[in-house]
Amino acid sequence: MTELRKPYWLQSSKLGSRKTGEITRKLRSYNLHTVCESARCPNRGECFERGTATFMILGDQCTRNCSFCAIEKKRENLAAPSPEEPVMIARLSRELDLKHIVITTVTRDDLEDGGAGQFVRVIEEIRNHCEPDVTIEVLISDLQGRWNDLKKILKAGPDILNHNLETVRRLYPEVRPLADYDRSLHLLGEARKFNPSLLTKSGFMVGLGETCAEINDLLTDLRSQDVDILTIGQYLAPSKKHYPVAEYIRPDVFAEYRQAALRIGFKIVESGPLVRSSYHAERARKILKRR
Ligand code: SF4
């Protein structure tokens, strides 16, 4: 497949803010990772300016092999969870006066609890160190369907539970071979059942060869699990070795997807070529404040 030329609407000028440099230096000094950096997110300048950052816990090697993802893959002998990581994230979040903190992770199928314990420790440390009005969003793996580990995380009291479906059902075997579409859907439903006042969130990429009908099915499936918040962004291949971009979706089509999603009941929908999971994540604070 010949490589597609990137259209003008994917040119991003948001990188290099002063705050980006400051935050990147601080992350180094605290020996912390952000998915903003490892996924080369085009929005990190803007997000850092808005007081939002997405910390990646449990290392930067993943036990899964999603063909769209730039993160290093490794099946065994991965580093043990860092005991310092939870307090370091809490201290840096306080130092940066972050208002909305997103905690994400690689998938650690090698750990007995899939990393749930580390999420609990991070949430607890943030609650101990930061202002009471700080909101916490956890973007978790599918925990291989172990709902007890999911409940462990939810009992720690995050404000938003996020789990990405990433793409449509038909493309799972090629794009997320070790994941399961229905398992990911049910995780979101289980979270809602466990805590009816919890905000749930999911997201997916477009431009991998999906059809509009498949997108509408995905939207309906997510709403069947009562998901509140949605992000839709353009897939960008990290390299020629990754799953190829099939199409660059026009901004007006993103707007149509947004309207279609709002019509079936999503409360917040971020849909656009440069949108990523945590883009404008702090907007959910408005809903949380009203609760
Ligand atoms: S599970 Fe997440 S981090 Fe791991 S390969 Fe897939 S997308 Fe990347």
Side-chain angles (χ1 to χ4, degrees):
M1 184 189 270
T2 48
E3 201 179 331
L4 296 174
R5 252 173 66 77
K6 257 195 199 163
Y8 70 85
W9 59 77
L10 282 173
Q11 307 314 327
S12 165
S13 58
K14 297 179 200 160
L15 284 179
S17 70
R18 180 193 50 75
K19 192 114 185 200
T20 311
E22 178 203 338
I23 291 185
T24 308
R25 277 190 300 283
K26 290 232 163 96
L27 285 162
R28 293 277 166 291
S29 66
Y30 278 76
N31 192 23
L32 292 171
H33 302 284
T34 64
V35 77
C36 322
E37 293 173 292
S38 52
R40 302 172 204 148
C41 179
N43 304 314
R44 56 192 185 280
E46 185 186 343
C47 292
F48 290 167
E49 290 294 338
R50 287 166 172 272
T52 297
T54 302
F55 295 101
M56 190 161 79
I57 63 173
L58 296 163
D60 56 2
Q61 296 172 318
C62 183
T63 54
R64 298 275 174 96
N65 59 356
C66 304
S67 56
F68 66 89
C69 177
I71 293 197
E72 189 187 337
K73 308 336 189 243
K74 195 174 182 197
R75 295 291 290 160
E76 54 208 8
N77 305 326
L78 286 79
S82 146
E84 296 82 36
E85 187 173 64
V87 74
M88 289 301 202
I89 289 175
R91 286 194 189 136
L92 181 53
S93 299
R94 185 182 60 199
E95 190 179 328
L96 296 171
D97 192 25
L98 296 179
K99 292 299 173 214
H100 187 71
I101 303 165
V102 184
I103 310 296
T104 188
T105 182
V106 292
T107 298
R108 294 293 303 260
D109 295 331
D110 60 312
L111 298 174
E112 216 172 299
D113 68 352
Q118 189 78 339
F119 269 100
V120 171
R121 287 184 286 276
V122 171
I123 295 167
E124 288 170 351
E125 287 294 350
I126 291 172
R127 295 297 187 212
N128 294 343
H129 286 75
C130 297
E131 297 302 319
D133 70 337
V134 159
T135 44
I136 301 175
E137 175 177 331
V138 290
L139 173 47
I140 66 170
S141 72
D142 62 20
L143 299 164
Q144 291 183 306
R146 291 190 303 263
W147 303 146
N148 286 340
D149 291 327
L150 171 65
K151 288 171 186 159
K152 248 192 237 163
I153 296 173
L154 297 177
K155 280 184 188 145
D159 302 288
I160 301 171
L161 185 280
N162 189 353
H163 176 66
N164 287 330
L165 270 285
E166 303 289 10
T167 187
V168 298
R169 181 189 291 279
R170 174 178 58 83
L171 294 176
Y172 261 57
E174 290 169 270
V175 174
R176 302 187 78 198
L178 296 175
D180 178 287
Y181 184 88
D182 292 308
R183 179 169 67 194
S184 283
L185 270 181
H186 291 150
L187 180 146
L188 292 156
E190 286 297 316
R192 169 50 46 83
K193 260 191 276 172
F194 182 78
N195 174 358
S197 69
L198 176 76
L199 276 182
T200 58
K201 176 176 179 178
S202 188
F204 56 89
M205 306 165 287
V206 290
L208 296 101
E210 70 291 327
T211 65
C212 290
E214 287 174 320
I215 294 289
N216 287 326
D217 290 346
L218 174 50
L219 294 176
T220 310
D221 287 344
L222 287 168
R223 280 303 298 149
S224 73
Q225 304 299 322
D226 208 13
V227 173
D228 303 295
I229 305 171
L230 180 68
T231 60
I232 309 172
Q234 168 71 49
Y235 168 55
L236 297 173
S239 78
K240 288 194 174 67
K241 289 198 305 301
H242 289 87
Y243 193 86
V245 173
E247 186 186 358
Y248 288 116
I249 308 296
R250 294 191 321 276
D252 59 312
V253 177
F254 280 101
E256 283 164 25
Y257 286 149
R258 182 170 185 276
Q259 289 313 318
L262 290 170
R263 270 197 303 276
I264 61 171
F266 288 96
K267 294 185 179 65
I268 296 179
V269 181
E270 297 288 346
S271 178
L274 292 174
V275 167
R276 297 292 175 269
S277 302
S278 308
Y279 189 57
H280 292 175
E282 77 288 344
R283 285 192 174 158
R285 286 168 59 83
K286 289 197 205 84
I287 303 182
L288 292 165
K289 282 207 184 104
R290 285 200 298 268
R291 289 182 165 213

